[in-house]
């Protein structure tokens, strides 16, 4: 007993000699369509234009500028620096108050 599935005679709807005219026609149509389109899903690349390169450089420049701004501002906006800035502002107020008091007495 041989199974009626798989490759070989009688398998996948083939005749006694294993030849199926529908499969051969389908394979031929697929090959012709592939040859018409220039290969297996491969597209012909269009040459790059100077505008495309300039636009890409602008995008990279914008990303670089945002990264630089983030790098500069991140320590300034951190909680540790915020606490230090608050302390420094109060020290400045105390100093100004003490100087005004000393100058108004004299």
């Amino acid at each position: 007993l041989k199974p009626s599935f798989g490759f070989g005679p009688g398998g996948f709807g083939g005749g006694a000699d294993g030849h199926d005219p529908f499969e051969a026609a389908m394979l031929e149509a697929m090959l012709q369509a592939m040859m018409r389109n220039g290969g297996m899903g491969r597209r012909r690349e269009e040459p790059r234009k100077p505008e495309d390169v300039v636009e890409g450089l602008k995008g990279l420049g914008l990303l670089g500028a945002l990264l630089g701004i983030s790098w500069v501002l991140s320590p300034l906006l951190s909680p540790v620096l915020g606490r230090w800035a608050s302390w420094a502002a109060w020290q400045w107020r105390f100093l100004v108050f003490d100087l005004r008091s000393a100058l108004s007495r004299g």
Side-chain angles (χ1 to χ4, degrees), residues 59-80:
L60 288 175
L62 181 63
L63 286 176
L66 289 174
L67 182 65
I69 289 170
S70 167
W71 182 71
V72 168
L73 290 181
S74 65
L76 298 176
L77 302 176
S78 71
V80 173

Side-chain angles (χ1 to χ4, degrees), residues 40-61:
M40 294 206 34
R42 218 179 327 153
R43 295 182 189 163
R44 293 184 183 160
E45 241 182 78
E46 296 179 11
R48 291 190 178 104
K49 301 173 189 168
E51 300 87 33
D52 295 338
V53 175
V54 170
E55 194 170 319
L57 288 176
K58 284 180 185 177
L60 288 175

Side-chain angles (χ1 to χ4, degrees), residues 3 6 8 13 20 23-24 27 34-36 40 44 46 48-49 56 67 70 72 81 83 87-88 96-97 103-104 106:
D20 186 8
E23 283 187 22
L27 181 63
M34 195 170 60
M35 296 299 280
R36 233 177 303 138
M40 294 206 34
R44 293 184 183 160
E46 296 179 11
R48 291 190 178 104
K49 301 173 189 168
L67 182 65
S70 167
V72 168
L81 201 56
R83 286 192 295 266
W87 175 84
V96 168
F97 179 79
L103 292 175
S104 67

